[in-house]
Amino acid sequence: SILLALDPLTAIGTLLSDWTIARYTWIGLVVLGLTAVLGRFFCGWICPLGTLQQIVSWIAGPARRKRYKINRYKKWFSLKYIVLTVLLVWAALGANHTGWLDPIPLLHRAFASGIRPLWHGGTVPAGWISFGMLAAILLLSAMIPRFFCRALCPLGALMGVFARVAPLRIRRDQTGSCTSCTLCVFACQGADEPLDKHRVSECHVCLNCLGTCAEESLHYGLPTPESAQPMPALDVSRRRFLITALSSAAIAPALRASGSSIDGRAHDAIRPPGALDEEAFLSRCITCGACSASCPTGVIASDFGKTGVEGLFTPVLDMRRGWCEPSCIRCGEVCPTAALTVLDPNAKQAIGGPAEVTIGTAFFDRGRCLPWAMETPCIVCEEMCPTSPKAIFFEDVEITNRDGKQVALQRPVIQPELCTGCGLCENRCPVGEQAAIRVSSVGETRDPKNQMLQRLSQV
């Protein structure tokens, strides 16, 4: 989670949506402060997605003779500032979706939900979408070097705004030593145009232009009387900015409504252990996939459709892919924004009584259960149940089948207060496709309103 903690947009997004500087996200604010001094150094020297684009461009990018026109600044490159505005307005209204296009979470999610699940039962639709987004970015970078950085990256836009005040930047001497040979334009990664109007907000501080300048007319440092240059304004008018902000504010309530039921809870989505209540969880989760990547059983998957647009790419548990290991707390340890809190491993285990933390309750579908519906002996779910005493126990019955023979069966029954929702029973159920025992979010400790036994007692 180191790169996720370094991401300034993660810190700004969670600060706006939840009024919290969670865990190590304050490091991102330090990076943003350094950007106001050094320029967009993070983009040129640290960002792994920028590095991948640069490699693809170097291998399969446009020919060198075409780079002069491609590397020049285009007005539509300002689209990234519109994307940033939309995401920050949504975050300020409680719909934190910065992770959708923030390069660090996007790259992390593409591998966590698009590649790693191949070893755990196949990739879910959200994984293909995430990896498809990454593939599209790399394909576009083969046409225009670092296309995403130039035109769409909200993190680059945020850093570009702060870089405008940076005292350290590329300087061009005004003494006439420059011969306009355009070599610096060929080498430029970010369309900052060191040959013409240096756009410090577009400069990635790669310093490639310095090495290509035969006259040594360019240098990186503090201003001097010989290097004073006017700085072009951002190509985002005040009117365009206001229209974008107001439109985003109008859409935000619809996004929030799309992911919640009448009582404000997600549609029976089982969240990883340690998850905050649904509203706070969605405000902090940046859909980075760190929890999914850390899960040893592969039970955590990126959601697509179950929790609506608001919950897109957020982590949910799919018990047919894996189970929540009773003593495992990795997902909370790696979560950069504390949307998943760090638990005591003992809190998840029901040893000698109910567990302190549960993520749901298992229910039997007696129409699919072998002992209940098929008169076929099966004790898998009871054997797999990790609680002590077991949340699943047997009712011993003897029935007469259609052939008139007496059949002794052990029919499984759930004692819900002992169930932690770990899903091991559902994962190991021998019934194909939809298991005969399935975990529901009912009974999760994070939501006092989602308690089956409490509601029954009130009736």
Side-chain angles (χ1 to χ4, degrees):
S1 301
I2 294 176
L3 283 175
L4 295 168
L6 288 172
D7 186 348
L9 190 55
T10 294
I12 296 296
T14 54
L15 178 61
L16 289 175
S17 62
D18 198 49
W19 294 96
T20 303
I21 301 295
R23 300 193 71 179
Y24 304 114
T25 56
W26 59 267
I27 300 176
L29 298 180
V30 174
V31 173
L32 202 59
L34 291 175
T35 302
V37 178
L38 304 173
R40 289 175 58 179
F41 72 97
F42 185 90
C43 302
W45 295 89
I46 299 176
C47 180
L49 184 55
T51 301
L52 278 177
Q53 291 180 84
Q54 191 69 17
I55 293 173
V56 170
S57 177
W58 177 66
I59 296 174
R64 186 176 182 275
R65 56 188 175 84
K66 296 181 180 179
R67 288 180 180 258
Y68 176 75
K69 291 184 178 180
I70 291 175
N71 283 356
R72 298 305 295 264
Y73 178 79
K74 311 293 191 301
K75 286 188 176 181
W76 55 271
F77 287 175
S78 64
L79 181 61
K80 59 180 173 290
Y81 297 104
I82 300 300
V83 174
L84 175 66
T85 301
V86 171
L87 294 177
L88 292 185
V89 170
W90 284 352
L93 295 176
N96 187 7
H97 300 303
T98 56
W100 285 0
L101 289 175
D102 189 344
I104 309 301
L106 188 155
L107 179 64
H108 203 287
R109 182 175 65 247
F111 281 91
S113 63
I115 298 298
R116 188 176 182 274
L118 294 175
W119 284 266
H120 291 281
T123 303
V124 295
W128 287 116
I129 293 174
S130 298
F131 190 77
M133 292 172 65
L134 174 62
I137 290 172
L138 297 181
L139 180 62
L140 287 169
S141 68
M143 302 169 60
I144 299 179
R146 298 190 72 154
F147 172 86
F148 182 77
C149 303
R150 296 171 186 251
L152 295 175
C153 180
L155 177 58
L158 176 65
M159 291 185 164
V161 172
F162 279 78
R164 290 178 63 84
V165 300
L168 295 172
R169 61 182 65 177
I170 301 296
R171 308 283 181 178
R172 181 163 62 93
D173 294 337
Q174 304 296 311
T175 58
S177 60
C178 178
T179 59
S180 301
C181 65
T182 73
L183 291 177
C184 57
V185 179
F186 285 109
C188 181
Q189 294 183 13
D192 64 329
E193 299 188 317
L195 177 67
D196 191 14
K197 300 175 181 178
H198 175 50
R199 298 178 181 272
V200 66
S201 57
E202 305 295 324
C203 178
H204 297 168
V205 200
C206 65
L207 306 182
N208 290 347
C209 56
L210 273 62
T212 61
C213 183
E215 288 77 22
E216 298 184 352
S217 299
L218 300 175
H219 68 275
Y220 174 76
L222 296 171
T224 63
E226 294 78 18
S227 63
Q229 288 176 271
M231 182 167 53
L234 297 177
D235 282 329
V236 182
S237 65
R238 185 177 303 176
R239 180 180 179 182
R240 189 179 180 188
F241 171 78
L242 290 176
I243 291 175
T244 301
L246 292 175
S247 301
S248 304
I251 296 173
L255 287 177
R256 302 210 68 188
S258 72
S260 302
S261 60
I262 296 176
D263 62 359
R265 183 174 48 81
H267 298 285
D268 201 32
I270 304 172
R271 298 297 189 188
L276 303 176
D277 66 88
E278 191 66 12
E279 183 175 357
F281 175 79
L282 292 175
S283 296
R284 289 199 189 185
C285 180
I286 58 172
T287 64
C288 62
C291 53
S292 176
S294 70
C295 182
T297 68
V299 68
I300 303 178
S302 291
D303 181 52
F304 182 74
K306 191 169 187 178
T307 58
V309 178
E310 189 186 20
L312 182 64
F313 301 134
T314 57
V316 293
L317 270 59
D318 183 351
M319 304 305 186
R320 289 307 258 177
R321 300 169 57 86
W323 66 93
C324 187
E325 186 65 32
S327 60
C328 179
I329 57 171
R330 287 187 186 179
C331 55
E333 291 176 332
V334 301
C335 181
T337 62
L340 306 176
T341 57
V342 181
L343 299 174
D344 181 342
N346 295 323
K348 290 179 55 186
Q349 303 179 57
I351 306 298
E356 295 180 27
V357 176
T358 60
I359 56 177
T361 307
F363 292 86
F364 279 104
D365 183 346
R366 293 187 177 183
R368 298 178 68 84
C369 182
L370 298 179
W372 282 100
M374 312 295 179
E375 301 173 356
T376 302
C378 179
I379 60 172
V380 171
C381 57
E382 191 272 346
E383 284 186 325
M384 292 294 102
C385 183
T387 66
S388 180
K390 290 181 178 290
I392 300 175
F393 63 96
F394 291 124
E395 289 182 350
D396 294 324
V397 296
E398 189 171 303
I399 64 171
T400 303
N401 63 17
R402 65 183 302 176
D403 297 327
K405 296 181 180 180
Q406 296 293 313
V407 179
L409 294 172
Q410 292 178 299
R411 289 175 171 172
V413 181
I414 286 282
Q415 188 173 348
E417 62 268 22
L418 293 178
C419 181
T420 63
C422 70
L424 189 54
C425 54
E426 180 179 346
N427 179 262
R428 298 302 174 88
C429 178
V431 178
E433 296 183 355
Q434 196 175 53
I437 181 170
R438 299 188 292 276
V439 178
S440 167
S441 65
V442 173
E444 58 181 355
T445 51
R446 73 183 185 120
D447 187 357
K449 297 179 181 179
N450 194 21
Q451 303 298 316
M452 175 187 63
L453 298 180
Q454 180 182 359
R455 290 178 180 178
L456 287 176
S457 64
Q458 291 175 350
V459 173

